[in-house]
Amino acid sequence: MQTLREFTRKTKRGNILKIVREHYLRDDIGCGSELCRECFQNEVYQLTSQHANQSTLFKFPHYLVLDTNVVLDQIDVLEEDVLRNVVVLTTVLNEVKHRSSSIYKRFNEIVHDRTRNFYVFVNEHHKETYADREPDETANDRNDRAIRLATKWYDDHLQASQSSKEFERSGKAAMRVVLLTDDAANRAKAEAEGILVTTAAEYVKSLEDFPLLMDKLSHKTFDSEKNGLPQYPPHLSMKELLEGLRQNKILQGTFQASRENYLEGSVSVEKFEKGILIQGREALNRAVDGDLVAVELLPESEWSAPSEIVLEEKNVYADEVPSEERAKDENDMLKQVRAAASPAERTPTGRIVGIVRRKWRQYCGILQPSLIEDTNRHIFVPADRKIPRIRIETRQAAKLQNQRIIVTIDTWPRNSRYPHGHFVRSLGPLGDTATENEVILLEHDVPHCKFSDEVLSFLPKMPWTITDEDYSKRVDLRDLFICSVDPPGCTDIDDALHCRELPNGNLEVGVHIADVSHFIRPGNALDMEAAARGTTVYLVGKRIDMVPELLSSNLCSLVGGVERFAFSCVWEVDNEANVLSKRFHKSVIKSKRAMTYEEAQSIIDDATQQNEIAKSLRHLNRLAKILKKRRMDNGALVLASPEIRFQVDSETHEPLEVEVKQMRETNSMVEEFMLLANITVAEHIATEFSEASQVDIESGLELSHSLDKCVKADNPYFNTMIRILTTRCMMQAVYFISGSLQKEEFFHYGLAAPIYTHFTSPIRRYSDIMVHRLLAASIGADSTYAKLLDRKSNEELCHNLNYRHKMAQYAGRASVALNTHLFFRGKEEDEEGYVLFVRKNALQVLIPKYGLEGTLYLKTDKDGKDGQERVKSEIVFTFNEEDHTQRCGDVVFHSFDPVTVRLSLDSSNVQHEKLIFRLVKPYIKGFSVETASKGTEGQEVAAAPPSKKSKKDKKKK
């Protein structure tokens, strides 16, 4: 059966365009129920009479039909293996897909789980359930009507199927259909039409066998706050926002909350280089970090400056009413900050007037202990200091104490100090290594779930072998003395090298990179998953692969003694490392040996070894030194950042030892040839694909020479510290499409390279896979495809890769910090360090042995707990703003001065443990840590770091 769908559309020129679409309706679409004897079922029955939902509201067998808002708001409830026999209408699926791609993906996984008995009914193409849109009917009202129509048809259809005498004699209760909707209007209409209907919350509460499922219900409001007074200004409507943006009365940007001050944040706006400052609870107006917000600029007379104080919110309990005293304290603090700001320090300041798009996610943290027994209302404290506390209801608070849990935000009404959310799941005990690693991955948005069956289906079938056809299409390099050099324990070996003498006296150098693009074909599920992950993430003792392990540690890894596919970049060079020619080809290699950096260095240094591998390594090492000197002469920078490695217990996964990573000549050797390969490939593909190639961007000849001259005879670590500080001033290199920038902007500052890309690590970086595809297409080794050269899709890909790379770096640093804390738990160590820079109230100290950096606080004002009076030390430090020094008596601290500090772990804040730095040398009586022969335990405590929130708390007292 065919029907026509007509609608009109207004063109850009103002013309009215009538569009007619054919819509086919069928009468052979099955209902999917095993009870039905009328429908032709073309697949395994999805709806059964088993696994019935036991509800006190509907004390008879029933199937469920879900409204769109139930799927969007209650996805955490649906993911629990409780609700079975659910009819999923295509109307609902399409609405969910349109409104939230992330929830659609999660819901799709539930639907495809055969054990859950979710059946997709194609109601939009069934002649009995299709609802044509009526005149003056909104799309939302039409979809609601379609859902009710399908529910009514299902219920009538099943009752007709169960009306036989045979079924009546069985004595079974008839199966019915119940609609779950949280839309009050839709529910009223359903009741009027004789449909069994209830809300998701009412239905979940009726499941007596699963009382804890109520914790996962999404709450738009709590009963205790329904009549509360507004605490925030109202947000502008979307119509008002669009009009304000059009007239430039309001600006749009991403909100970034402050980690140090819960009453401060900023909005990144193109017109303002430093963004717009937001101060005060009302000005923040319920914005959460990452939200896209609309901001109104305040008059210049009301501009302020960012505060330098650290302000943490005092504990507020779930049953507390809004405090006028607290609000007054916050306003007083705001006035003081604005009054203290000098005209030169003032920056554009504004207030948030609306939310354009929320960027809420799931948050990790802990429950704040409640003062009231047997209460369901609790406050959740996120691990991320930039996220506000969240009000939730849970009936298992006692069980969740000292647990890391996940909570999501549902809404943030005007009359609530905090956003409302609901409990999702528990991660495990607080402080447990596995739990804390999971927190790191979740907080840094690292995809780490198992690869789906669909993704795994595109892997090669084992046992995998290289065929004669494969050999014929590739260059056979199996006889070359190729080897790999990597860190200890590396299993995902991306690259291998060779160097041999040519008859003409020149040298042939080859860089051979794992041919991952052979196994990951464009557009399939494996490719899309790798693109979404973007990069492999390395934590201490744990690796989250970008591609399944069969590829990363087996078929793609260039392990020794095994034939593998590679993409080779081969140069002919003279003995001065000048490139005379180059060629690219896909190859088959057989690495003669996989070595660590230490093993390779030992072979190079051992003059008795004269085999082909040793000769190759010595040639490579000599050429690498020439290449590096040439780069340095061109202005490349040798930067530094403290890197440490841990020895981890294989059973407990706790750190046993921590040390700074050692750099050998072989590290530099591999690095130089990877750089040469990346630059050579970048030059080639930028020439072949001037609009679509992926480039990595970031001359510093004078800076390079200046850094080389920064040496002190009495301080061997001085030059390293200078390079560490220089590194922090550098802009992060990012991926971009070559056609989006002028060639002059391609220059990579740090490498002093006119152009650069990533080619050498396709096992762990998706950018390298894309570069492999471009290179293969340019040399005719593989075919191109439309999306490979599509500018828009490549720009979106670059944006995701830059984001994933940044998050992977942050996650790695967080993992190092976690394991450092685990290592120092229960320990105290005195270590030599250097003052990296001097602050107004502290010294920033670097410990070379561990690569650690921390703050040694000089202010000894210290807040007491629970309202006790402050204790003030007689020790006074004077900060000199001109030469940035700190003086206490005869002791003066300059940047780069050597010091000895005592390291210990402060675990008073269970969620945010931190390393404490206390001064040992130079000795300052009453401040430095006393040795056992000098002082008492009380004197050691005197140097503990202070809390910076004393001004606020003093007012409250």
Side-chain angles (χ1 to χ4, degrees), residues 89 100 116 120 185 291 350 366 391 452 519 540 640 644 694 754 851 856 898:
L89 304 178
S100 174
R116 297 291 302 276
V120 178
D291 286 350
I366 58 175
R391 194 184 298 274
S452 68
F519 297 96
V540 176
I644 59 177
Q694 290 195 7
L856 194 160

Side-chain angles (χ1 to χ4, degrees), residues 732-851:
Q732 179 73 42
V734 295
Y735 297 110
F736 70 98
I737 303 301
S738 57
S740 63
L741 293 176
Q742 297 297 318
K743 287 190 176 180
E744 295 76 22
E745 299 177 87
F746 290 6
F747 197 89
H748 194 298
Y749 189 90
L751 298 175
I755 192 169
Y756 191 71
T757 192
H758 278 155
F759 165 75
T760 54
S761 297
I763 293 178
R764 61 186 179 89
R765 286 191 306 239
Y766 188 79
S767 56
D768 301 53
I769 294 177
M770 291 297 294
V771 170
H772 277 225
R773 289 172 179 169
L774 288 165
L775 183 60
S778 72
I779 65 174
D782 204 346
S783 58
T784 186
Y785 56 98
K787 220 172 180 183
L788 181 65
L789 305 177
D790 182 72
R791 180 167 175 171
K792 183 179 179 182
S793 64
N794 280 328
E795 285 181 343
E796 291 174 354
L797 178 63
C798 283
H799 178 76
N800 180 63
L801 294 180
N802 290 327
Y803 171 73
R804 292 296 180 198
H805 175 66
K806 181 175 68 174
M807 289 296 105
Q809 284 187 317
Y810 291 165
R813 292 171 193 169
S815 178
V816 168
L818 167 65
N819 282 271
T820 303
H821 292 169
L822 292 174
F823 176 75
F824 279 101
R825 190 168 285 169
K827 296 180 183 177
E828 279 194 349
E829 292 192 11
D830 292 355
E831 297 294 343
E832 293 182 357
Y834 294 94
V835 177
L836 206 53
F837 47 88
V838 179
R839 291 179 169 175
K840 289 182 178 180
N841 67 335
L843 305 177
Q844 200 71 13
V845 178
L846 180 68
I847 310 297
K849 179 179 177 180
Y850 296 127

Side-chain angles (χ1 to χ4, degrees), residues 696-715:
D696 187 11
I697 185 175
E698 212 340 71
S699 147
L701 185 57
E702 292 182 5
L703 177 59
S704 177
H705 291 166
S706 298
L707 290 173
D708 291 338
K709 295 175 183 176
C710 291
V711 292
K712 274 188 175 182
D714 60 342
N715 189 341

Side-chain angles (χ1 to χ4, degrees), residues 92-237:
V92 173
L93 264 183
N94 292 335
E95 274 198 291
V96 171
K97 184 177 182 179
H98 176 71
R99 292 172 61 179
S100 174
S101 58
S102 59
I103 291 179
Y104 175 76
K105 184 179 179 181
R106 292 167 66 185
F107 189 54
N108 232 0
E109 291 177 1
I110 301 171
V111 170
H112 284 87
D113 183 354
R114 292 282 177 129
T115 64
R116 297 291 302 276
N117 307 110
F118 277 57
Y119 179 73
V120 178
F121 178 61
V122 190
N123 65 304
E124 293 290 355
H125 289 277
H126 193 290
K127 71 174 186 179
E128 300 293 341
T129 59
Y130 173 71
D132 203 1
R133 187 171 172 180
E134 297 175 350
D136 301 324
E137 187 178 36
T138 65
N140 184 65
D141 287 345
R142 180 263 163 200
N143 288 340
D144 286 346
R145 184 162 56 85
I147 293 169
R148 295 196 303 274
L149 180 62
T151 306
K152 180 68 173 171
W153 176 85
Y154 240 104
D155 194 39
D156 293 343
H157 178 74
L158 287 179
Q159 288 191 65
S161 301
Q162 299 169 93
S163 61
S164 64
K165 293 182 179 179
E166 180 183 350
F167 184 84
E168 291 176 0
R169 285 196 295 270
S170 69
K172 296 180 180 178
M175 182 71 70
R176 300 293 303 275
V177 178
V178 175
L179 172 64
L180 297 187
T181 178
D182 290 336
D183 185 329
N186 195 26
R187 180 182 180 184
K189 290 177 182 178
E191 289 173 342
E193 294 170 12
I195 297 172
L196 298 174
V197 61
T198 188
T199 64
E202 289 172 349
Y203 188 80
V204 168
K205 289 174 183 176
S206 73
L207 302 175
E208 293 184 334
D209 293 338
F210 303 97
L212 297 183
L213 194 60
M214 285 188 284
D215 287 359
K216 301 204 170 191
L217 283 170
S218 172
H219 290 283
K220 297 301 180 185
T221 186
F222 291 116
D223 293 337
S224 62
E225 292 183 342
K226 284 183 178 178
N227 300 317
L229 295 173
Q231 297 192 43
Y232 297 96
H235 286 152
L236 297 181
S237 67

Side-chain angles (χ1 to χ4, degrees), residues 231-250:
Q231 297 192 43
Y232 297 96
H235 286 152
L236 297 181
S237 67
M238 190 54 67
K239 182 179 179 181
E240 291 172 319
L241 289 178
L242 293 174
E243 184 64 21
L245 289 169
R246 188 180 66 82
Q247 296 179 1
N248 291 323
K249 290 182 178 179
I250 57 177

Side-chain angles (χ1 to χ4, degrees), residues 421-448:
H422 65 269
F423 167 74
V424 177
R425 62 188 171 98
S426 172
L427 295 174
L430 190 66
D432 176 71
T433 305
T435 301
E436 298 302 331
N437 277 333
E438 181 77 2
V439 171
I440 289 172
L441 295 175
L442 289 168
E443 283 298 303
H444 293 92
D445 195 19
V446 175
H448 60 287

